[in-house]
Amino acid sequence: MHLTGVASYLNSRRFYDYAKRAILTTRQFYFSTEHSYDGAKKKLPCLIRLPELTNSLVCVIEDLRTVTLTYKIGVTNLLFTLGLTENTNEEGQKLDDFYLPRTLRVNDHSIENSSDGEFIDFIFSKDSSMDKYDTVCFSDEGKTVPDEVKGYLSPELVAELD
């Protein structure tokens, strides 16, 4: 819900499930002062562009401050930002080392509202069943992969990059 900019009576898991299965109806979400139609209208084109955050130049930011929350990390392409929080239970206890998307912000000065940021030189991916990364999704042509990263990459990918 936070990524779409609408309010809903459904919890976020059910909202996502209904949207994914194409059974979400207009009676299950609404607009309000905090969740305006204009805000949702700005966010929807960015939802389609979310893959850009994994296959193009991005900046990873720390401690992204907003009016309501500080997000542990964020990823921005300078046009929009995805704010992420640690995966916790209802009591606030950390469940694992995953970060969950919690907000989508459009043209919001995210770098200025963060404690630190770093532009990414490489983005790798792998199938979840694999131990090592085997695909380059983004690479800064002027950079070489650091030796300490190569241990996370498949031998074939290391050979290709060298």
Side-chain angles (χ1 to χ4, degrees):
M1 293 179 300
H2 296 285
L3 300 185
T4 62
V6 301
S8 177
Y9 300 107
L10 302 172
N11 67 35
S12 54
R13 187 174 302 276
R14 183 165 283 166
F15 182 91
Y16 173 79
D17 183 51
Y18 284 12
K20 185 177 174 186
R21 296 186 323 178
I23 60 171
L24 185 66
T25 69
T26 54
R27 293 180 187 194
Q28 295 165 325
F29 66 90
Y30 60 93
F31 300 103
S32 66
T33 313
E34 293 174 2
H35 300 91
S36 70
Y37 174 78
D38 289 338
K41 194 173 168 182
K42 284 190 332 189
K43 288 182 175 189
L44 287 177
C46 297
L47 288 174
I48 296 167
R49 297 177 61 194
L50 282 176
E52 292 176 28
L53 298 179
T54 61
N55 63 21
S56 61
L57 179 65
V58 295
C59 183
V60 174
I61 52 180
E62 296 177 16
D63 301 320
L64 170 61
R65 294 175 307 281
T66 67
V67 173
T68 56
L69 193 61
T70 297
Y71 297 88
K72 183 80 172 169
I73 60 173
V75 180
T76 183
N77 64 2
L78 306 181
L79 299 174
F80 60 91
T81 303
L82 193 61
L84 301 108
T85 59
E86 290 180 312
N87 187 20
T88 59
N89 62 18
E90 291 79 25
E91 290 82 39
Q93 297 168 323
K94 186 175 169 180
L95 297 175
D96 50 38
D97 290 330
F98 294 109
Y99 288 86
L100 304 177
R102 182 138 175 211
T103 189
L104 177 64
R105 316 204 55 91
V106 181
N107 299 324
D108 72 329
H109 307 291
S110 59
I111 291 178
E112 295 91 333
N113 293 329
S114 301
S115 64
D116 198 10
E118 194 77 35
F119 281 92
I120 299 301
D121 297 331
F122 299 94
I123 301 174
F124 302 103
S125 70
K126 67 179 182 73
D127 185 275
S128 61
S129 65
M130 303 299 291
D131 289 333
K132 305 232 177 196
Y133 293 91
D134 60 358
T135 305
V136 178
C137 299
F138 171 78
S139 132
D140 183 333
E141 295 299 323
K143 304 284 176 103
T144 58
V145 177
D147 289 335
E148 55 265 29
V149 172
K150 290 180 181 178
Y152 296 97
L153 307 178
S154 70
E156 297 80 14
L157 185 55
V158 171
E160 182 182 319
L161 293 170
D162 283 341

